[in-house]
Amino acid sequence: MAKINFVDHSGETRSIEAEVGSTVMEAAIRNSIPGIEAECGGACACATCHVYVDEAWQESVGAPTPMEEDMLDFGYDIKPNSRLSCQIKITDALDGLVVITPERQA
């Protein structure tokens, strides 16, 4: 299990335990994290699971794939640290990960 910290746009933090091997989006849905809609169910076919990866975690999480970058074009308020949470696989190295949910999803 890995601890994932979700910070909403108002600064409230919700910490959850997530299974290694699942995605950040799956963990968010299982734990009813507000701000993650996941309309496509994790197929990288929308941008409704958009998050901002905390600067300290960007290198560990890695860069988006070209397909993910294309989907991010449909997101709301995209920034350099934007990622789709359905594309972030949870590993032991991501224990403590901090992601911020945007004010709204696209």
Side-chain angles (χ1 to χ4, degrees):
M1 298 291 264
K3 181 179 175 183
I4 309 295
N5 302 289
F6 292 87
V7 181
D8 69 20
H9 68 279
S10 68
E12 183 177 345
T13 300
R14 291 172 179 83
S15 298
I16 63 168
E17 292 291 324
E19 272 185 59
V20 170
S22 66
T23 66
V24 171
M25 181 220 72
E26 291 167 335
I29 296 302
R30 278 191 212 111
N31 290 277
S32 303
I33 298 296
I36 303 290
E37 295 173 14
E39 289 178 3
C40 75
C44 196
C46 71
T48 60
C49 69
H50 170 225
V51 295
Y52 305 113
V53 175
D54 182 87
E55 187 177 310
W57 288 94
Q58 282 185 275
E59 189 174 320
S60 297
V61 168
T65 64
M67 185 168 120
E68 182 181 350
E69 286 179 339
D70 288 345
M71 284 298 107
L72 281 167
D73 288 341
F74 298 101
Y76 171 75
D77 196 22
I78 300 304
K79 299 177 182 178
N81 61 332
S82 288
R83 289 293 308 269
L84 298 180
S85 60
C86 68
Q87 300 301 299
I88 303 172
K89 281 273 194 206
I90 298 170
T91 64
D92 288 327
L94 295 183
D95 185 31
L97 175 66
V98 177
V99 296
I100 300 95
T101 56
E103 186 173 355
R104 67 180 175 96
Q105 295 289 354

Coordinates of all heavy atoms in Angstrom, one line a residue:
M1 N 0.8 -1.2 0.0 CA 0.0 0.0 0.0 C 0.9 1.2 0.0 O 2.0 1.2 0.5 CB -0.9 0.0 1.2 CG -1.9 -1.2 1.3 SD -3.2 -1.1 0.1 CE -4.5 -0.3 1.0
A2 N 0.4 2.3 -0.6 CA 1.1 3.6 -0.7 C 0.1 4.7 -0.2 O -1.1 4.6 -0.5 CB 1.6 3.8 -2.1
K3 N 0.6 5.6 0.5 CA -0.2 6.8 0.9 C -0.2 7.8 -0.2 O 0.8 8.2 -0.7 CB 0.4 7.4 2.2 CG -0.4 8.6 2.7 CD 0.2 9.1 4.0 CE -0.4 10.3 4.5 NZ 0.2 10.9 5.6
I4 N -1.4 8.2 -0.6 CA -1.6 9.3 -1.6 C -2.4 10.4 -1.0 O -3.4 10.2 -0.3 CB -2.4 8.7 -2.8 CG1 -1.8 7.4 -3.4 CG2 -2.5 9.8 -3.9 CD1 -0.4 7.5 -4.0
N5 N -1.8 11.6 -1.2 CA -2.4 12.8 -0.6 C -3.1 13.6 -1.7 O -2.4 14.1 -2.6 CB -1.4 13.6 0.2 CG -0.7 12.8 1.2 OD1 -1.3 12.5 2.2 ND2 0.6 12.5 1.0
F6 N -4.4 13.9 -1.5 CA -5.1 14.7 -2.5 C -5.4 16.0 -1.8 O -6.0 16.1 -0.8 CB -6.5 14.0 -2.9 CG -6.3 12.8 -3.7 CD1 -6.1 11.5 -3.1 CD2 -6.3 12.8 -5.1 CE1 -6.0 10.4 -3.8 CE2 -6.2 11.7 -5.8 CZ -6.0 10.4 -5.2
V7 N -5.0 17.1 -2.5 CA -5.3 18.4 -2.0 C -6.3 19.1 -2.9 O -6.0 19.2 -4.1 CB -4.0 19.3 -1.9 CG1 -4.2 20.7 -1.3 CG2 -2.9 18.5 -1.1
D8 N -7.4 19.5 -2.4 CA -8.3 20.2 -3.3 C -8.0 21.7 -3.5 O -7.1 22.2 -2.8 CB -9.8 20.0 -2.8 CG -10.2 20.7 -1.5 OD1 -9.5 21.7 -1.2 OD2 -11.2 20.4 -0.9
H9 N -8.7 22.3 -4.4 CA -8.4 23.7 -4.7 C -8.5 24.7 -3.5 O -7.9 25.7 -3.6 CB -9.2 24.2 -5.9 CG -10.7 24.4 -5.5 ND1 -11.5 23.3 -5.5 CD2 -11.4 25.4 -5.2 CE1 -12.7 23.7 -5.2 NE2 -12.6 25.0 -4.9
S10 N -9.2 24.3 -2.5 CA -9.3 25.2 -1.3 C -8.2 24.9 -0.3 O -8.1 25.5 0.7 CB -10.7 25.0 -0.7 OG -10.8 23.7 -0.1
G11 N -7.4 23.8 -0.5 CA -6.3 23.5 0.4 C -6.6 22.3 1.3 O -5.7 21.9 2.1
E12 N -7.8 21.8 1.3 CA -8.1 20.6 2.2 C -7.4 19.4 1.6 O -7.5 19.1 0.5 CB -9.6 20.4 2.2 CG -10.0 19.3 3.2 CD -11.5 19.1 3.3 OE1 -12.3 19.9 2.9 OE2 -11.8 18.0 3.8
T13 N -6.8 18.7 2.6 CA -6.0 17.5 2.2 C -6.8 16.2 2.7 O -7.2 16.2 3.8 CB -4.6 17.5 2.8 OG1 -3.9 18.6 2.3 CG2 -3.8 16.2 2.4
R14 N -6.9 15.2 1.8 CA -7.4 13.9 2.1 C -6.3 12.9 1.8 O -5.9 12.8 0.7 CB -8.7 13.6 1.3 CG -9.8 14.5 1.6 CD -11.0 14.3 0.7 NE -12.1 15.1 1.0 CZ -12.3 16.4 0.7 NH1 -11.4 17.0 0.0 NH2 -13.4 17.0 1.0
S15 N -6.0 12.1 2.8 CA -4.9 11.1 2.6 C -5.6 9.7 2.6 O -6.4 9.4 3.4 CB -3.9 11.2 3.7 OG -3.3 12.4 3.7
I16 N -5.2 8.9 1.6 CA -5.7 7.6 1.5 C -4.6 6.5 1.4 O -3.5 6.9 1.0 CB -6.7 7.4 0.3 CG1 -5.9 7.7 -1.0 CG2 -7.9 8.4 0.5 CD1 -6.7 7.3 -2.3
E17 N -4.9 5.3 1.6 CA -4.0 4.2 1.3 C -4.5 3.6 0.0 O -5.6 3.3 -0.2 CB -4.1 3.2 2.5 CG -3.5 3.6 3.8 CD -2.0 3.9 3.7 OE1 -1.3 3.1 3.1 OE2 -1.5 4.8 4.4
A18 N -3.5 3.4 -0.9 CA -3.9 2.9 -2.2 C -3.0 1.7 -2.5 O -1.9 1.6 -2.1 CB -3.6 4.0 -3.3
E19 N -3.6 0.8 -3.3 CA -2.9 -0.5 -3.7 C -1.8 -0.2 -4.7 O -2.1 0.5 -5.7 CB -3.9 -1.5 -4.3 CG -4.6 -2.4 -3.4 CD -5.4 -3.4 -4.1 OE1 -4.9 -4.2 -4.9 OE2 -6.6 -3.4 -3.9
V20 N -0.7 -0.7 -4.5 CA 0.4 -0.6 -5.5 C -0.1 -1.4 -6.7 O -0.7 -2.5 -6.6 CB 1.7 -1.2 -4.9 CG1 2.8 -1.4 -6.0 CG2 2.2 -0.4 -3.8
G21 N 0.1 -0.8 -7.9 CA -0.3 -1.4 -9.1 C -1.6 -0.8 -9.7 O -1.9 -0.9 -10.9
S22 N -2.4 -0.2 -8.8 CA -3.6 0.5 -9.3 C -3.1 1.9 -9.8 O -2.0 2.3 -9.7 CB -4.6 0.6 -8.2 OG -4.2 1.4 -7.1
T23 N -4.1 2.7 -10.2 CA -3.8 4.1 -10.6 C -4.3 5.0 -9.6 O -5.1 4.7 -8.8 CB -4.4 4.4 -12.0 OG1 -5.8 4.4 -11.9 CG2 -4.0 3.4 -13.1
V24 N -3.7 6.2 -9.7 CA -4.2 7.3 -8.7 C -5.7 7.5 -8.9 O -6.4 7.7 -8.0 CB -3.4 8.6 -9.0 CG1 -3.9 9.7 -8.2 CG2 -1.9 8.3 -8.6
M25 N -6.2 7.5 -10.2 CA -7.6 7.7 -10.4 C -8.4 6.6 -9.8 O -9.4 6.8 -9.1 CB -7.9 7.7 -11.9 CG -9.3 7.9 -12.3 SD -9.9 6.9 -13.7 CE -9.9 5.3 -12.9
E26 N -8.0 5.3 -9.9 CA -8.8 4.2 -9.3 C -8.8 4.4 -7.8 O -9.9 4.1 -7.2 CB -8.1 2.9 -9.7 CG -8.3 2.5 -11.1 CD -7.4 1.4 -11.6 OE1 -6.3 1.1 -10.9 OE2 -7.7 0.7 -12.6
A27 N -7.7 4.7 -7.2 CA -7.7 4.9 -5.8 C -8.6 6.1 -5.4 O -9.3 6.0 -4.3 CB -6.3 5.2 -5.3
A28 N -8.6 7.1 -6.2 CA -9.5 8.3 -5.9 C -11.0 7.9 -5.9 O -11.8 8.2 -5.0 CB -9.2 9.4 -6.8
I29 N -11.4 7.1 -6.9 CA -12.8 6.7 -7.1 C -13.1 5.8 -6.0 O -14.2 5.9 -5.4 CB -13.0 6.0 -8.5 CG1 -12.7 7.0 -9.6 CG2 -14.3 5.4 -8.6 CD1 -13.6 8.3 -9.6
R30 N -12.3 4.8 -5.6 CA -12.6 3.9 -4.5 C -12.8 4.6 -3.2 O -13.5 4.1 -2.3 CB -11.5 2.9 -4.4 CG -11.6 1.7 -5.3 CD -10.6 0.6 -5.0 NE -10.2 0.0 -6.2 CZ -9.0 0.0 -6.7 NH1 -8.0 0.7 -6.1 NH2 -8.7 -0.6 -7.9
N31 N -12.1 5.8 -3.1 CA -12.2 6.5 -1.8 C -13.0 7.8 -1.9 O -12.9 8.6 -1.0 CB -10.8 6.8 -1.3 CG -10.0 5.5 -0.9 OD1 -10.2 5.1 0.2 ND2 -9.3 4.9 -1.8
S32 N -13.8 7.9 -2.9 CA -14.7 9.0 -3.1 C -14.0 10.4 -2.9 O -14.5 11.3 -2.2 CB -15.9 8.9 -2.1 OG -16.6 7.7 -2.3
I33 N -12.9 10.5 -3.6 CA -12.2 11.8 -3.5 C -12.9 12.8 -4.4 O -13.1 12.6 -5.6 CB -10.7 11.6 -4.0 CG1 -10.0 10.7 -3.1 CG2 -10.0 13.0 -4.1 CD1 -9.8 11.2 -1.7
P34 N -13.3 14.0 -3.8 CA -14.0 15.0 -4.7 C -13.0 15.6 -5.7 O -11.8 15.7 -5.4 CB -14.4 16.1 -3.6 CG -14.1 15.5 -2.3 CD -13.2 14.3 -2.4
G35 N -13.6 15.9 -6.8 CA -12.8 16.5 -7.9 C -12.3 15.6 -8.9 O -11.7 16.0 -9.9
I36 N -12.4 14.3 -8.7 CA -12.0 13.3 -9.7 C -13.3 12.7 -10.3 O -14.0 11.9 -9.6 CB -11.1 12.2 -9.1 CG1 -9.9 12.8 -8.5 CG2 -10.7 11.2 -10.2 CD1 -8.9 13.4 -9.4
E37 N -13.6 13.0 -11.5 CA -14.9 12.5 -12.1 C -14.7 11.2 -12.9 O -15.5 10.3 -12.8 CB -15.5 13.6 -13.0 CG -15.9 14.8 -12.2 CD -16.3 15.9 -13.1 OE1 -16.6 15.7 -14.3 OE2 -16.5 17.1 -12.6
A38 N -13.6 11.1 -13.6 CA -13.2 9.8 -14.4 C -14.3 9.3 -15.2 O -14.7 8.2 -15.2 CB -12.8 8.8 -13.4
E39 N -14.8 10.2 -16.1 CA -15.9 9.8 -17.0 C -15.6 8.7 -17.9 O -16.5 7.9 -18.2 CB -16.4 11.0 -17.7 CG -17.1 12.0 -16.9 CD -17.6 13.3 -17.6 OE1 -17.4 13.4 -18.8 OE2 -18.1 14.2 -16.9
C40 N -14.4 8.5 -18.3 CA -14.1 7.4 -19.3 C -13.6 6.2 -18.6 O -13.3 5.2 -19.2 CB -13.0 7.9 -20.3 SG -11.3 8.0 -19.6
G41 N -13.6 6.2 -17.2 CA -13.2 5.0 -16.5 C -11.8 4.6 -16.5 O -11.4 3.5 -16.2
G42 N -10.9 5.5 -16.9 CA -9.5 5.3 -16.9 C -8.9 4.9 -18.3 O -7.8 4.4 -18.4
A43 N -9.6 5.1 -19.4 CA -9.2 4.7 -20.7 C -8.4 5.8 -21.4 O -8.0 5.6 -22.6 CB -10.4 4.4 -21.6
C44 N -8.0 6.9 -20.7 CA -7.3 8.0 -21.3 C -8.0 8.6 -22.5 O -7.4 8.8 -23.5 CB -5.8 7.6 -21.6 SG -4.7 9.0 -21.9
A45 N -9.3 8.7 -22.3 CA -10.2 9.2 -23.4 C -10.9 10.5 -23.1 O -11.8 10.9 -23.8 CB -11.2 8.1 -23.8
C46 N -10.5 11.1 -21.9 CA -11.1 12.3 -21.5 C -10.1 13.0 -20.6 O -9.0 12.5 -20.5 CB -12.5 12.1 -20.8 SG -12.4 11.4 -19.2
A47 N -10.5 14.1 -20.0 CA -9.6 14.8 -19.1 C -10.2 15.1 -17.7 O -9.9 16.0 -17.1 CB -9.1 16.1 -19.7
T48 N -11.2 14.2 -17.3 CA -11.9 14.5 -16.1 C -11.3 13.8 -14.9 O -12.0 13.8 -13.8 CB -13.4 14.0 -16.3 OG1 -13.4 12.6 -16.5 CG2 -14.1 14.8 -17.4
C49 N -10.1 13.4 -15.0 CA -9.3 12.9 -13.8 C -8.0 13.7 -13.7 O -7.1 13.3 -13.0 CB -9.1 11.4 -13.9 SG -7.9 10.9 -15.1
H50 N -8.1 14.9 -14.3 CA -6.9 15.8 -14.3 C -6.5 16.2 -12.9 O -7.3 16.5 -12.0 CB -7.3 17.0 -15.1 CG -6.3 18.1 -15.0 ND1 -6.7 19.4 -14.8 CD2 -5.0 18.2 -15.2 CE1 -5.7 20.2 -14.9 NE2 -4.6 19.5 -15.0
V51 N -5.2 16.1 -12.6 CA -4.6 16.6 -11.4 C -3.3 17.3 -11.7 O -2.7 17.2 -12.7 CB -4.3 15.4 -10.4 CG1 -5.5 14.7 -9.9 CG2 -3.3 14.4 -11.0
Y52 N -2.9 18.0 -10.7 CA -1.5 18.7 -10.7 C -0.6 17.9 -9.8 O -1.0 17.7 -8.6 CB -1.6 20.1 -10.2 CG -2.6 21.0 -11.0 CD1 -3.7 21.5 -10.3 CD2 -2.4 21.3 -12.3 CE1 -4.7 22.3 -11.0 CE2 -3.3 22.1 -13.0 CZ -4.4 22.6 -12.3 OH -5.4 23.3 -13.0
V53 N 0.5 17.4 -10.3 CA 1.5 16.7 -9.4 C 2.3 17.7 -8.7 O 2.9 18.7 -9.3 CB 2.3 15.8 -10.3 CG1 3.4 15.1 -9.5 CG2 1.5 14.8 -11.0
D54 N 2.4 17.6 -7.4 CA 3.2 18.5 -6.6 C 4.6 18.5 -7.1 O 5.2 17.4 -7.5 CB 3.2 18.0 -5.1 CG 4.0 18.9 -4.2 OD1 3.4 19.9 -3.7 OD2 5.2 18.6 -4.0
E55 N 5.2 19.6 -7.1 CA 6.6 19.8 -7.7 C 7.6 18.8 -7.2 O 8.4 18.3 -8.0 CB 7.1 21.2 -7.4 CG 8.3 21.6 -8.1 CD 8.8 23.0 -7.9 OE1 7.9 23.9 -8.1 OE2 9.9 23.2 -7.5
A56 N 7.5 18.5 -5.9 CA 8.5 17.6 -5.3 C 8.4 16.2 -5.9 O 9.3 15.3 -5.7 CB 8.3 17.6 -3.8
W57 N 7.2 15.8 -6.5 CA 6.9 14.5 -7.0 C 7.0 14.4 -8.5 O 6.9 13.2 -9.0 CB 5.6 14.1 -6.5 CG 5.6 13.8 -5.0 CD1 5.3 14.6 -4.0 CD2 6.0 12.6 -4.4 NE1 5.4 14.0 -2.8 CE2 5.9 12.7 -3.0 CE3 6.4 11.3 -4.9 CZ2 6.2 11.7 -2.1 CZ3 6.7 10.3 -4.0 CH2 6.6 10.5 -2.6
Q58 N 7.2 15.4 -9.2 CA 7.2 15.4 -10.7 C 8.2 14.4 -11.3 O 7.8 13.6 -12.2 CB 7.4 16.8 -11.3 CG 6.1 17.6 -11.2 CD 6.3 18.9 -11.9 OE1 6.8 19.9 -11.3 NE2 5.9 19.0 -13.1
E59 N 9.4 14.4 -10.8 CA 10.4 13.5 -11.3 C 10.0 12.1 -11.1 O 10.2 11.2 -11.9 CB 11.8 13.8 -10.8 CG 12.9 13.1 -11.4 CD 14.3 13.5 -11.0 OE1 14.5 14.7 -10.8 OE2 15.1 12.6 -10.8
S60 N 9.5 11.8 -9.9 CA 9.2 10.4 -9.5 C 8.0 9.9 -10.4 O 7.9 8.7 -10.7 CB 8.8 10.3 -8.0 OG 9.9 10.6 -7.2
V61 N 7.0 10.8 -10.6 CA 5.9 10.4 -11.4 C 6.2 10.2 -12.9 O 5.7 9.3 -13.5 CB 4.7 11.4 -11.2 CG1 3.6 11.2 -12.2 CG2 4.2 11.3 -9.8
G62 N 7.1 11.1 -13.4 CA 7.5 11.0 -14.8 C 6.6 11.9 -15.7 O 5.6 12.5 -15.2
A63 N 7.0 11.9 -16.9 CA 6.3 12.8 -17.9 C 5.1 12.1 -18.5 O 5.1 10.8 -18.6 CB 7.3 13.2 -19.0
P64 N 4.1 12.8 -19.0 CA 3.0 12.2 -19.7 C 3.4 11.6 -21.0 O 4.4 12.1 -21.6 CB 2.0 13.3 -19.8 CG 2.8 14.6 -19.7 CD 4.0 14.2 -18.9
T65 N 2.7 10.6 -21.5 CA 2.9 10.0 -22.8 C 2.3 11.0 -23.8 O 1.5 11.8 -23.5 CB 2.2 8.6 -22.9 OG1 0.8 8.8 -22.8 CG2 2.7 7.7 -21.9
P66 N 2.7 10.8 -25.1 CA 2.1 11.7 -26.1 C 0.5 11.6 -26.1 O -0.2 12.6 -26.3 CB 2.7 11.2 -27.4 CG 4.0 10.7 -27.0 CD 3.8 10.0 -25.6
M67 N 0.0 10.4 -25.9 CA -1.5 10.2 -25.9 C -2.1 11.0 -24.7 O -3.1 11.6 -24.9 CB -1.8 8.7 -25.8 CG -3.3 8.4 -25.9 SD -3.5 6.6 -26.1 CE -4.5 6.3 -24.6
E68 N -1.5 10.9 -23.6 CA -2.0 11.6 -22.4 C -1.9 13.2 -22.7 O -2.8 13.9 -22.3 CB -1.2 11.3 -21.2 CG -1.6 12.0 -19.9 CD -0.8 11.6 -18.7 OE1 0.0 10.7 -18.7 OE2 -1.0 12.3 -17.7
E69 N -0.8 13.6 -23.3 CA -0.7 15.0 -23.6 C -1.8 15.5 -24.5 O -2.3 16.6 -24.3 CB 0.7 15.3 -24.3 CG 1.8 15.3 -23.3 CD 3.2 15.5 -23.9 OE1 3.3 15.3 -25.2 OE2 4.1 15.9 -23.2
D70 N -2.2 14.6 -25.5 CA -3.3 15.0 -26.4 C -4.6 15.1 -25.6 O -5.4 16.1 -25.8 CB -3.5 13.9 -27.4 CG -2.4 13.9 -28.5 OD1 -1.7 14.9 -28.6 OD2 -2.3 12.9 -29.2
M71 N -4.8 14.3 -24.6 CA -6.1 14.3 -23.8 C -6.0 15.5 -22.9 O -7.1 16.2 -22.6 CB -6.3 13.1 -23.0 CG -6.8 11.9 -23.8 SD -8.4 12.2 -24.5 CE -8.0 12.4 -26.2
L72 N -4.9 15.9 -22.4 CA -4.7 17.0 -21.5 C -5.2 18.3 -22.2 O -5.6 19.3 -21.5 CB -3.3 17.2 -20.9 CG -3.0 16.2 -19.8 CD1 -1.5 16.2 -19.5 CD2 -3.7 16.6 -18.5
D73 N -5.1 18.4 -23.5 CA -5.5 19.5 -24.3 C -7.0 19.9 -24.0 O -7.4 21.0 -24.2 CB -5.3 19.3 -25.8 CG -3.8 19.4 -26.2 OD1 -3.0 19.9 -25.4 OD2 -3.5 18.9 -27.3
F74 N -7.7 18.9 -23.6 CA -9.2 19.1 -23.3 C -9.4 19.4 -21.8 O -10.6 19.6 -21.4 CB -10.0 17.8 -23.7 CG -9.9 17.5 -25.1 CD1 -9.0 16.5 -25.6 CD2 -10.6 18.2 -26.1 CE1 -8.9 16.2 -26.9 CE2 -10.5 17.9 -27.4 CZ -9.7 16.9 -27.8
G75 N -8.4 19.5 -21.0 CA -8.5 19.7 -19.6 C -8.7 21.2 -19.3 O -8.6 22.1 -20.2
Y76 N -9.1 21.5 -18.1 CA -9.3 22.9 -17.6 C -8.1 23.3 -16.9 O -7.5 22.6 -16.0 CB -10.5 22.9 -16.6 CG -10.7 24.2 -15.9 CD1 -11.3 25.3 -16.6 CD2 -10.4 24.3 -14.6 CE1 -11.4 26.5 -15.9 CE2 -10.6 25.5 -13.9 CZ -11.1 26.6 -14.6 OH -11.3 27.7 -13.9
D77 N -7.6 24.5 -17.2 CA -6.5 25.2 -16.5 C -5.2 24.3 -16.5 O -4.7 24.0 -15.4 CB -6.9 25.6 -15.1 CG -5.9 26.6 -14.5 OD1 -5.2 27.3 -15.3 OD2 -5.9 26.7 -13.3
I78 N -4.8 23.8 -17.6 CA -3.6 22.9 -17.7 C -2.4 23.7 -17.4 O -2.2 24.8 -17.8 CB -3.6 22.3 -19.2 CG1 -4.8 21.5 -19.5 CG2 -2.3 21.5 -19.3 CD1 -5.1 20.4 -18.5
K79 N -1.5 23.0 -16.6 CA -0.2 23.6 -16.2 C 0.9 22.6 -16.6 O 0.6 21.5 -16.9 CB -0.2 23.9 -14.7 CG -1.3 24.9 -14.3 CD -1.4 25.0 -12.8 CE -2.5 26.0 -12.4 NZ -2.6 26.2 -11.0
P80 N 2.2 23.1 -16.4 CA 3.3 22.1 -16.7 C 3.3 20.9 -15.9 O 3.8 19.8 -16.3 CB 4.5 23.0 -16.5 CG 4.1 24.4 -16.7 CD 2.6 24.4 -16.2
N81 N 2.7 20.9 -14.7 CA 2.7 19.7 -13.8 C 1.3 19.0 -13.9 O 1.0 18.1 -13.1 CB 3.0 20.1 -12.4 CG 1.9 21.1 -11.8 OD1 1.3 21.9 -12.5 ND2 1.8 21.1 -10.5
S82 N 0.5 19.2 -14.9 CA -0.7 18.5 -15.1 C -0.5 17.1 -15.6 O 0.4 16.9 -16.4 CB -1.6 19.3 -16.2 OG -2.1 20.5 -15.7
R83 N -1.3 16.2 -15.0 CA -1.3 14.8 -15.4 C -2.7 14.3 -15.4 O -3.6 14.9 -14.6 CB -0.4 14.0 -14.5 CG 1.1 14.2 -14.6 CD 1.7 13.7 -16.0 NE 1.3 12.4 -16.3 CZ 2.0 11.3 -16.0 NH1 3.1 11.4 -15.3 NH2 1.6 10.1 -16.4
L84 N -3.0 13.2 -16.1 CA -4.3 12.5 -15.9 C -4.0 11.4 -14.8 O -3.1 10.6 -15.0 CB -4.7 11.9 -17.2 CG -5.0 12.9 -18.3 CD1 -5.5 12.1 -19.6 CD2 -6.1 13.9 -17.9
S85 N -4.8 11.4 -13.8 CA -4.5 10.5 -12.7 C -4.7 9.0 -13.1 O -4.2 8.1 -12.5 CB -5.4 10.8 -11.5 OG -6.8 10.8 -11.8
C86 N -5.5 8.8 -14.2 CA -5.6 7.4 -14.7 C -4.3 6.9 -15.3 O -4.2 5.7 -15.5 CB -6.8 7.3 -15.7 SG -6.5 8.2 -17.3
Q87 N -3.4 7.8 -15.6 CA -2.1 7.4 -16.2 C -1.0 7.3 -15.2 O 0.1 7.0 -15.6 CB -1.8 8.3 -17.4 CG -2.9 8.3 -18.4 CD -3.1 6.9 -19.0 OE1 -2.2 6.3 -19.6 NE2 -4.3 6.4 -18.9
I88 N -1.3 7.5 -13.9 CA -0.2 7.5 -12.9 C -0.4 6.2 -12.2 O -1.3 6.0 -11.4 CB -0.3 8.7 -12.0 CG1 -0.2 10.0 -12.7 CG2 0.9 8.5 -10.9 CD1 -0.4 11.2 -11.8
K89 N 0.5 5.2 -12.4 CA 0.5 3.9 -11.7 C 1.2 4.1 -10.4 O 2.3 4.6 -10.3 CB 1.3 2.9 -12.5 CG 0.5 2.3 -13.7 CD -0.3 1.1 -13.2 CE -0.8 0.3 -14.4 NZ -2.0 -0.4 -14.1
I90 N 0.5 3.5 -9.4 CA 1.0 3.6 -8.0 C 2.1 2.6 -7.8 O 1.9 1.4 -8.1 CB -0.1 3.5 -7.0 CG1 -1.1 4.6 -7.2 CG2 0.5 3.5 -5.6 CD1 -2.4 4.5 -6.4
T91 N 3.3 3.0 -7.3 CA 4.4 2.1 -7.0 C 4.8 2.4 -5.6 O 4.4 3.4 -5.0 CB 5.6 2.4 -7.9 OG1 6.1 3.7 -7.7 CG2 5.2 2.2 -9.4
D92 N 5.6 1.6 -5.0 CA 6.2 1.8 -3.7 C 6.9 3.2 -3.6 O 6.9 3.8 -2.6 CB 7.1 0.7 -3.2 CG 6.4 -0.6 -2.9 OD1 5.2 -0.5 -2.4 OD2 6.9 -1.7 -3.1
A93 N 7.5 3.5 -4.8 CA 8.3 4.8 -4.8 C 7.4 6.0 -4.7 O 7.8 7.1 -4.4 CB 9.1 4.8 -6.1
L94 N 6.1 5.8 -4.9 CA 5.1 7.0 -4.9 C 4.4 7.1 -3.5 O 3.5 7.8 -3.4 CB 4.1 6.9 -6.0 CG 4.7 7.0 -7.4 CD1 3.5 7.0 -8.4 CD2 5.5 8.3 -7.5
D95 N 4.9 6.3 -2.5 CA 4.3 6.4 -1.2 C 4.5 7.8 -0.7 O 5.7 8.3 -0.6 CB 5.0 5.4 -0.3 CG 4.4 5.4 1.1 OD1 3.2 5.6 1.2 OD2 5.1 5.1 2.1
G96 N 3.4 8.5 -0.4 CA 3.5 9.9 0.1 C 3.2 10.9 -1.0 O 3.2 12.1 -0.8
L97 N 2.9 10.4 -2.2 CA 2.6 11.3 -3.4 C 1.6 12.4 -3.0 O 0.6 12.1 -2.3 CB 2.1 10.5 -4.5 CG 1.6 11.2 -5.8 CD1 2.7 11.9 -6.5 CD2 0.9 10.3 -6.7
V98 N 1.8 13.6 -3.5 CA 0.8 14.7 -3.3 C 0.4 15.1 -4.7 O 1.2 15.5 -5.6 CB 1.5 15.9 -2.6 CG1 0.5 17.0 -2.5 CG2 2.0 15.4 -1.2
V99 N -1.0 15.1 -4.9 CA -1.6 15.6 -6.1 C -2.6 16.6 -5.7 O -3.3 16.5 -4.7 CB -2.2 14.6 -7.0 CG1 -1.1 13.6 -7.6 CG2 -3.2 13.8 -6.3
I100 N -2.8 17.6 -6.6 CA -3.8 18.7 -6.3 C -4.9 18.6 -7.4 O -4.6 18.5 -8.6 CB -3.1 20.1 -6.4 CG1 -2.0 20.2 -5.3 CG2 -4.2 21.2 -6.2 CD1 -0.7 19.9 -5.8
T101 N -6.1 18.6 -6.9 CA -7.2 18.6 -7.9 C -7.6 20.0 -8.3 O -7.6 20.9 -7.5 CB -8.5 17.9 -7.3 OG1 -8.9 18.5 -6.1 CG2 -8.2 16.4 -7.0
P102 N -7.9 20.2 -9.6 CA -8.2 21.5 -10.0 C -9.6 22.0 -9.5 O -10.4 21.2 -9.0 CB -8.3 21.4 -11.6 CG -8.5 19.9 -11.8 CD -8.0 19.2 -10.6
E103 N -9.9 23.3 -9.7 CA -11.1 23.8 -9.2 C -12.3 23.1 -9.8 O -13.4 22.9 -9.2 CB -11.2 25.3 -9.5 CG -12.4 26.0 -8.9 CD -12.3 27.5 -9.0 OE1 -11.3 28.0 -9.5 OE2 -13.3 28.1 -8.7
R104 N -12.2 22.7 -11.1 CA -13.2 22.0 -11.8 C -12.6 21.2 -12.9 O -11.4 21.4 -13.3 CB -14.3 22.9 -12.4 CG -13.8 23.8 -13.5 CD -14.9 24.7 -14.0 NE -14.4 25.6 -15.0 CZ -14.5 25.4 -16.3 NH1 -15.0 24.3 -16.8 NH2 -14.1 26.3 -17.2
Q105 N -13.3 20.2 -13.3 CA -12.8 19.3 -14.4 C -13.4 19.8 -15.7 O -14.5 20.5 -15.7 CB -13.2 17.8 -14.2 CG -12.5 17.2 -13.0 CD -11.0 17.0 -13.2 OE1 -10.4 17.2 -14.3 NE2 -10.3 16.6 -12.2
A106 N -12.8 19.5 -16.8 CA -13.3 19.9 -18.2 C -14.7 19.3 -18.5 O -15.0 18.2 -18.0 CB -12.3 19.5 -19.2

